[in-house]
Amino acid sequence: MSLSPNTPGLRDLQGREQLAELLRRAMEARNAGAKKPPLFVKIAPDQTEEQMHNIAEVVMAAGIDGMIVGNTTVTRPPSIPEDIAKEQGGVSGKPLFELSTRILARMYKLTQGKIPLIGCGGISSGADAYAKIRAGASLVQVYSALIFEGPLLIPRINRELAALLKRDGFASVKEAVGTGNA
Ligand SMILES: Cc1cc2nc3c(=O)[nH]c(=O)nc-3n(C[C@H](O)[C@H](O)[C@H](O)COP(=O)(O)O)c2cc1C
């Protein structure tokens, strides 16, 4: 677990109007370039149901290539020690896993599998990555665990994930996406 310094006002950009305008301009800039790289939106896991609806609608209407769910949380999950809970900033790592996976599953439902979701938050094993995929992620991102464990984390996650997919009869990650999201 670690704490991320929050950019002042960053989360205000997730409001419906602000986000629509931001994405309109970002898409315009992207489409004007020769390379046209994919454009992803990364959201905080601290959204109300209404905010999630708005974000899903605006992101899909803007033609964004995918959504990363998500960033650190400004809430304080119960598993973190009291002295650390008092500090400022966004919580990352293991304590973030449950919240970010719940929000990912909800976002998968709201976007009806129409845009790729990148699961992020508290992943440190193949089982964690698998849970994100079953909740609706087509890809996963790791941050804190990579800092604590180093680059060998990636082949370990790949090995563990491959074993879990095989155990459950999936021939690929693609087949497993969203299958745990009843
Ligand atoms: C110190 C720190 C700095 C971060 N900076 C960024 C950033 O600049 N851009 C970004 O999209 N996410 C940033 N993040 C969020 C991470 O990319 C990631 O979404 C979050 O930590 C949850 O994943 P994890 O539990 O694997 O760490 C930062 C996180 C931490 C802890």
Side-chain angles (χ1 to χ4, degrees), residues 2-5 42 68 70-72 90-94 96 120-123 141-145 147:
S2 61
L3 291 162
S4 162
K42 186 171 186 177
I68 308 173
N71 216 315
T72 56
V91 172
S92 71
K94 231 176 221 337
L96 176 61
C120 181
I123 298 172
Q141 179 187 10
V142 290
Y143 185 99
S144 299
I147 293 165

Side-chain angles (χ1 to χ4, degrees), residues 8-29:
L10 182 66
R11 282 163 170 76
D12 297 344
L13 292 172
Q14 293 172 149
R16 193 185 177 99
E17 311 306 327
Q18 293 93 325
L19 184 63
E21 181 59 11
L22 176 70
L23 299 189
R24 191 188 63 72
R25 291 198 206 179
M27 286 297 273
E28 203 175 271

Side-chain angles (χ1 to χ4, degrees), residues 79-140:
S79 60
I80 65 172
E82 224 176 279
D83 53 332
I84 297 176
K86 280 191 236 141
E87 287 185 31
Q88 290 234 323
V91 172
S92 71
K94 231 176 221 337
L96 176 61
F97 180 79
E98 203 188 305
L99 171 68
S100 56
T101 307
R102 204 166 60 234
I103 295 295
L104 169 69
R106 187 69 195 122
M107 198 44 97
Y108 184 69
K109 282 245 165 96
L110 289 171
T111 53
Q112 301 138 32
K114 287 183 183 151
I115 61 167
L117 300 181
I118 301 171
C120 181
I123 298 172
S124 65
S125 68
D128 296 337
Y130 189 47
K132 297 281 187 193
I133 291 161
R134 303 255 299 167
S138 295
L139 294 158
V140 296

Side-chain angles (χ1 to χ4, degrees), residues 42 61 105 116 120 145 151-152 158 162 171-172:
K42 186 171 186 177
C120 181
L152 288 179
N158 281 342
S172 66

